[in-house]
Amino acid sequence: MRKAVGIQGLNRQAQNKQQFKKQGEQIVATQLQTIEQQMQVFKSKLEEFAIKYRDKINGNAEFRRQFQIMCTSIGVDPLASKKGFWGELLGVGDFYYELAVQIVEICLKTRNTNGGIIDIDQLCNHVQTIRHTIITIDDIERSVNHLKVLGNCFKITKIGTQKVVQSIPDELNDDHTLVLSFGQVNSIY
């Protein structure tokens, strides 16, 4: 093919550029439409799965954790809010908010004996006693994360090898953590 020169060549180049641009836009539009269709199919399949296994998601801690991991990996957080589609469909947003309320109650009741720092395993045992169901550390961590809206009063901190729930507004500095770690190593804490 011989390259055209002059104004005719420039016009042909501009025409080719326009055609390529138009073709590219068509390809992008087709791909976008395909992705939207796939997302609709995926959403409906996830809804079907959630409806089918609703009781198992709410009642089985390991199944709930696996469901949460699967959804998080694709950018969906069905357990995060009791409002909206997932909260209405599964009723599981209530699970974490109710658990958070129970965590606050336990932390406040035990604050006189533990100074506002409770071992996460101990907290999990307290919650299981109240709820008469299996609650995992993962459930506790998710619920405590929901409490961040209250400020820095409730958070999970690592002291030595243990995870603890801190229910006091003060930050633990390095000195506090060192003293608590020393107590842990020497079986004082």
Side-chain angles (χ1 to χ4, degrees):
M1 181 172 158
R2 196 170 145 235
K3 212 175 196 184
V5 291
I7 295 178
Q8 188 179 13
L10 292 174
N11 286 339
R12 190 170 298 136
Q13 281 181 340
Q15 246 180 354
N16 287 342
K17 199 174 193 178
Q18 270 307 95
Q19 288 175 343
F20 284 131
K21 184 178 178 184
K22 192 183 283 187
Q23 190 70 19
E25 289 171 355
Q26 288 175 348
I27 291 170
V28 168
T30 303
Q31 288 176 337
L32 184 61
Q33 185 179 15
T34 302
I35 290 172
E36 286 175 354
Q37 289 171 348
Q38 289 173 344
M39 289 303 292
Q40 287 299 323
V41 169
F42 178 75
K43 182 182 177 194
S44 69
K45 294 296 182 188
L46 190 58
E47 289 170 14
E48 289 172 20
F49 179 85
I51 291 169
K52 183 176 181 180
Y53 294 103
R54 176 184 177 168
D55 293 337
K56 197 168 183 181
I57 291 168
N58 286 326
N60 183 321
E62 181 59 24
F63 193 81
R64 183 174 49 250
R65 187 179 76 77
Q66 290 297 326
F67 180 70
Q68 180 70 27
I69 289 169
M70 176 187 70
C71 290
T72 302
S73 70
I74 57 169
V76 176
D77 194 0
L79 307 179
S81 174
K82 66 188 251 178
K83 293 181 182 173
F85 171 77
W86 288 104
E88 292 171 12
L89 179 67
L90 294 174
V92 291
D94 291 334
F95 173 83
Y96 285 107
Y97 287 104
E98 289 170 5
L99 184 57
V101 168
Q102 290 170 332
I103 288 170
V104 169
E105 289 173 353
I106 292 168
C107 287
L108 292 176
K109 284 180 185 175
T110 61
R111 190 178 280 176
N112 289 338
T113 57
N114 61 25
I117 299 172
I118 185 169
D119 180 72
I120 200 163
D121 292 320
Q122 187 180 13
L123 178 61
C124 192
N125 290 337
H126 279 293
V127 172
Q128 287 181 24
T129 302
I130 291 171
R131 292 182 79 110
H132 305 292
T133 186
I134 296 173
I135 300 296
T136 65
I137 300 298
D138 185 60
D139 292 332
I140 299 286
E141 289 174 346
R142 289 181 194 282
S143 293
V144 170
N145 285 334
H146 284 285
L147 294 172
K148 286 184 179 177
V149 297
L150 301 175
N152 66 349
C153 293
F154 291 91
K155 64 182 174 184
I156 296 175
T157 307
K158 197 164 187 173
I159 297 176
T161 59
Q162 287 180 297
K163 284 186 178 178
V164 296
V165 175
Q166 177 184 335
S167 62
I168 49 177
D170 294 328
E171 292 285 327
L172 290 178
N173 63 28
D174 290 339
D175 292 337
H176 295 129
T177 306
L178 184 63
V179 169
L180 291 170
S181 294
F182 179 77
Q184 178 188 11
V185 169
N186 293 305
S187 299
I188 297 170
Y189 168 67

